[in-house]
Amino acid sequence: MDHFFANFINAIRSKLFYKMLIIYSLLTLVPLIIVSTTFYIRSSQLIGKKATEDAQQTFAAAATKMDEPLLAIKKRLLEIGDREPVQSYLNLYPLTDTSAINVDYRTNLLGSVKDTLQVELVELRRTVGPFVDNIYVVTPDDQVISIDGSRSLRYASAFRLLPFEFERVPEWAFFTDDKRMACDMKIYGSAKGGEPNKLLGQLVVTLSPSGLQNTYTNFAPDTFYIISSNNIILSASDPNDIGNVLDVQKSESQLQIQQKSQYADYHYIWLSTPGTDKIVEKQAVLSVAITLFAWLAVLFVTYFILRRVTDPIQRLTKLMRHAEKEEYQIIQDIGTRDEIAMLCYGYNRLVLKTKDLIEKNYKSELVAREAELKSIRMYINPHFLYNTLEYISIMSQNPNKAWYVPDVVHKLSSIFRFSIMPGGKFVSLETEFAFTEMYLQIHKYRFGERMHFTLALPEMLRQVAMPKLILQPLVENAVIHGIDRLHDGGRIEIEAKEEDFLLVITIRNPAPPVDSSYGRSTDQLTKKGLGSGLDNVNMRIHHYFGNQYGATLSRDAEGIVTVKLQMPIQLWEDTGEE
């Protein structure tokens, strides 16, 4: 198994097609994942927000309905407290007269009070709701008067001690009596009889434990509570919860909605479950499905596109390796018209041109044309193209540099078109500089910030005639023996100027220390790899202009190597000759 994976990884590393396929599929997959995840999160938020808003509206309507009976009971208590039997009995209650007449009168008044309470209880149940449990009158000494004595108030004294915000306004108790909600009102003497503003007793109405919420709400069990300001449960679907402190932490997965009552110091709490989990789950499945489908579609399209790009490069690479052995073959069946096709056509023309030039140079003018033949073979040497194609493969593996691959291929095809384009052996200095800039730009992609270059060409020298590709060997030496050997790289400066009616082109670049990779003299510089290119340039210049012109090499104390090229100034004319 390990051997299989090792072979698989080596196959990927050695094939540009697989590398580009993986890189482009990942570059597509990552944005798709980001977009799908953002879509899923945002839609989930919107769904949750909409569910929350619906739950809040439902709860607000239920809370309003809950408030209505609370207000109605408070208003009714104000009327009950002013009833004549209640006022008369409570005014007479503190008196100590124990005569038979007074006892009978009290007994009759007590019966009238109970009758009044019975009538009011029936009316409250009819107008407010069947959840009204009972009505009690509490005397100042905490004696309780009720309709049915079987269930009295357990904490009568607590109602007397209950704080009131307004003395004559009923208040809902913050505690329960026998698990019943209670509304308490102080009864004062009326102006009709007795002492006005005298506290006579209290009037208490109790509600059944769960009757209120069962009447006005339609929530699931154990989800709706009425609590006091101290989180004491006053009403719940489960009677066992009444009187306990509400613990909302046990329902962290639920949505807690809370609203304060307008007519009591109560809070309504609903532990809602919006029911959006299934919708969100479907949304997640949809996002994953869309992402996978889009990725597979892009992968499928990328596969066929990359095949059309990499197949010609693979074929061209094989032919390059044959060309290294001087086995020149042309590439067949070119099916595209892009830069890759131009590169293939350029290679074919280059191979044919090479064969033709080799044959011509061996048959005639062998010595006189030796420098020119070496120069041309240098430019059409398959090592340059092979190395450049290898560098394109390396660039394509880096997402930050992969975008430059088309431009490198375009410049490479332009260089080959320039090297074998029809025309004379001379070109304008402007054209030669343009070719040199393209050549340097390819190396710029390779070295990045390690390499910089500048070209200075005055306007008046643009149409001066130059031997074609005369600068390339010198620039190549500056890159290979200068920039490539320096850890921090450097700048290549190329400048054309006129001196004493001669064309002077200088090429400057930094070089490693003399004692590291070069010799200790200018003569030894040429023995470390510069001599071949420099001799080739001089042989061509001597052939065209004479031995008094040529290129010289020097090095200053700061390690700057300067190549100075001199030749006569001649205007270039495009004659179209070979």
Side-chain angles (χ1 to χ4, degrees):
M1 183 63 68
D2 294 337
H3 181 70
F4 171 77
F5 281 111
N7 291 337
F8 178 73
I9 294 175
N10 290 332
I12 293 177
R13 294 177 61 185
S14 62
K15 296 294 184 180
L16 174 63
F17 171 75
Y18 296 132
K19 295 176 184 177
M20 295 181 68
L21 185 62
I22 293 174
I23 291 173
Y24 285 124
S25 61
L26 290 178
L27 290 176
T28 303
L29 182 61
V30 171
L32 282 174
I33 292 176
I34 294 174
V35 172
S36 298
T37 304
T38 303
F39 169 73
Y40 164 70
I41 294 174
R42 183 56 180 164
S43 59
S44 300
Q45 291 174 346
L46 292 176
I47 293 173
K49 181 179 179 182
K50 182 61 170 60
T52 302
E53 291 176 352
D54 293 342
Q56 289 175 340
Q57 292 177 359
T58 302
F59 182 68
T64 301
K65 286 186 177 182
M66 296 288 290
D67 272 347
E68 292 176 358
L70 299 183
L71 177 61
I73 291 174
K74 291 179 69 173
K75 290 181 178 180
R76 194 68 180 178
L77 284 180
L78 291 172
E79 298 176 3
I80 298 172
D82 289 334
R83 293 287 187 266
E84 193 277 331
V86 176
Q87 289 279 328
S88 298
Y89 180 78
L90 293 178
N91 277 313
L92 185 62
Y93 185 80
L95 300 180
T96 59
D97 186 358
T98 58
S99 62
I101 296 176
N102 193 35
V103 170
D104 292 339
Y105 182 64
R106 287 189 181 188
T107 302
N108 293 333
L109 279 179
L110 180 59
S112 297
V113 170
K114 292 184 177 182
D115 291 340
T116 301
L117 295 180
Q118 179 65 45
V119 172
E120 294 297 337
L121 178 61
V122 172
E123 184 64 17
L124 278 174
R125 288 176 175 174
R126 184 185 68 83
T127 58
V128 177
F131 50 83
V132 179
D133 179 69
N134 212 334
I135 304 178
Y136 302 93
V137 174
V138 183
T139 64
D141 58 353
D142 297 334
Q143 296 298 316
V144 179
I145 302 171
S146 64
I147 302 170
D148 183 4
S150 62
R151 190 178 187 186
S152 183
L153 293 176
R154 298 182 61 183
Y155 310 110
S157 59
F159 290 101
R160 177 168 49 82
L161 301 175
L162 182 69
F164 283 80
E165 184 177 0
F166 302 101
E167 293 295 330
R168 296 181 179 271
V169 178
E171 289 285 346
W172 285 93
F174 58 83
F175 55 88
T176 61
D177 188 281
D178 199 14
K179 295 189 177 182
R180 296 174 296 177
M181 295 173 59
C183 185
D184 183 20
M185 186 190 75
K186 293 181 179 180
I187 302 176
Y188 290 88
S190 64
K192 296 180 180 180
E195 298 180 18
N197 301 326
K198 177 184 177 181
L199 180 62
L200 302 179
Q202 303 198 206
L203 187 63
V204 178
V205 173
T206 59
L207 307 182
S208 64
S210 59
L212 179 63
Q213 67 168 346
N214 290 340
T215 303
Y216 288 93
T217 62
N218 189 26
F219 299 125
D222 299 327
T223 61
F224 184 85
Y225 300 91
I226 301 176
I227 64 172
S228 66
S229 58
N230 296 324
N231 282 350
I232 302 299
I233 299 176
L234 304 178
S235 178
S237 59
D238 185 358
N240 295 325
D241 291 337
I242 298 175
N244 299 324
V245 177
L246 179 63
D247 181 15
V248 296
Q249 293 184 354
K250 64 182 181 180
S251 304
E252 292 180 351
S253 60
Q254 295 174 308
L255 174 66
Q256 178 182 339
I257 306 177
Q258 180 173 329
Q259 181 168 323
K260 189 179 183 304
S261 172
Q262 298 181 10
Y263 308 114
D265 194 17
Y266 292 165
H267 294 268
Y268 306 121
I269 291 183
W270 180 29
L271 303 179
S272 170
T273 304
T276 59
D277 293 343
K278 292 185 178 180
I279 299 177
V280 173
E281 183 179 347
K282 291 181 179 179
Q283 196 70 20
V285 173
L286 177 62
S287 299
V288 172
I290 292 176
T291 301
L292 290 178
F293 177 78
W295 178 64
L296 290 175
V298 172
L299 188 65
F300 180 78
V301 174
T302 304
Y303 176 86
F304 287 99
I305 292 177
L306 290 180
R307 270 297 181 195
R308 295 179 64 86
V309 174
T310 57
D311 281 350
I313 295 179
Q314 292 177 352
R315 293 163 59 193
L316 196 56
T317 302
K318 293 179 180 179
L319 295 179
M320 288 292 120
R321 291 170 180 168
H322 288 290
E324 290 179 3
K325 303 176 183 179
E326 297 184 359
E327 299 175 2
Y328 297 103
Q329 304 174 17
I330 62 175
I331 186 169
Q332 304 288 341
D333 301 326
I334 303 172
T336 61
R337 297 184 180 181
D338 52 15
E339 286 83 356
I340 299 294
M342 295 301 299
L343 184 62
C344 294
Y345 288 129
Y347 169 79
N348 287 344
R349 290 194 295 269
L350 189 63
V351 168
L352 297 176
K353 184 80 171 179
T354 301
K355 291 181 178 180
D356 183 62
L357 289 175
I358 292 175
E359 184 178 356
K360 288 182 179 179
N361 278 276
Y362 273 108
K363 288 184 177 180
S364 61
E365 299 179 9
L366 182 61
V367 177
R369 304 281 182 173
E370 182 67 21
E372 182 177 1
L373 176 60
K374 289 181 180 180
S375 175
I376 294 176
R377 293 191 65 179
M378 180 187 300
Y379 304 131
I380 63 174
N381 194 313
H383 285 289
F384 171 70
L385 179 57
Y386 178 77
N387 291 337
T388 304
L389 292 176
E390 285 294 323
Y391 180 59
I392 292 174
S393 175
I394 295 173
M395 288 177 64
S396 65
Q397 301 176 44
N398 189 333
N400 296 327
K401 292 185 177 182
W403 302 102
Y404 301 125
V405 170
D407 191 44
V408 174
V409 173
H410 177 72
K411 285 181 168 56
L412 183 61
S413 62
S414 299
I415 289 174
F416 274 86
R417 283 198 300 269
F418 175 78
S419 66
I420 50 85
M421 69 180 180
K425 298 178 178 61
F426 286 82
V427 295
S428 66
L429 185 56
E430 180 181 20
T431 302
E432 183 72 7
F433 263 58
F435 163 81
T436 303
E437 183 177 7
M438 285 191 294
Y439 181 83
L440 287 171
Q441 186 60 53
I442 291 178
H443 288 289
K444 171 66 175 176
Y445 282 128
R446 174 187 174 190
F447 291 103
E449 292 301 317
R450 287 182 57 203
M451 173 180 165
H452 300 277
F453 63 89
T454 57
L455 294 91
L457 176 61
E459 183 66 28
M460 66 178 183
L461 299 178
R462 290 182 179 273
Q463 296 303 314
V464 171
M466 281 283 294
K468 186 177 180 181
L469 302 175
I470 197 70
L471 296 180
Q472 192 274 340
L474 304 178
V475 174
E476 184 179 14
N477 286 338
V479 173
I480 296 176
H481 302 290
I483 304 301
D484 191 31
R485 297 190 181 185
L486 293 173
H487 180 269
D488 295 328
R491 178 180 295 276
I492 298 175
E493 299 177 354
I494 304 175
E495 181 184 12
K497 57 185 177 180
E498 179 269 332
E499 290 182 3
D500 299 329
F501 305 101
L502 295 178
L503 173 63
V504 178
I505 300 176
T506 56
I507 302 175
R508 301 183 183 89
N509 64 275
V514 177
D515 57 352
S516 63
S517 59
Y518 292 97
R520 298 192 177 274
S521 66
T522 303
D523 293 335
Q524 288 177 309
L525 283 171
T526 62
K527 297 178 181 179
K528 294 294 181 178
L530 300 180
S532 176
L534 196 63
D535 290 342
N536 203 353
V537 170
N538 278 324
M539 290 177 65
R540 294 183 65 195
I541 294 177
H542 295 165
H543 175 72
Y544 292 124
F545 305 111
N547 295 335
Q548 67 272 32
Y549 305 105
T552 59
L553 177 71
S554 63
R555 178 191 180 98
D556 60 18
E558 297 178 359
I560 302 299
V561 174
T562 303
V563 176
K564 188 174 184 180
L565 182 65
Q566 289 183 324
M567 63 186 68
I569 296 178
Q570 298 178 0
L571 294 180
W572 174 73
E573 293 182 1
D574 187 8
T575 60
E577 297 177 358
E578 285 290 329

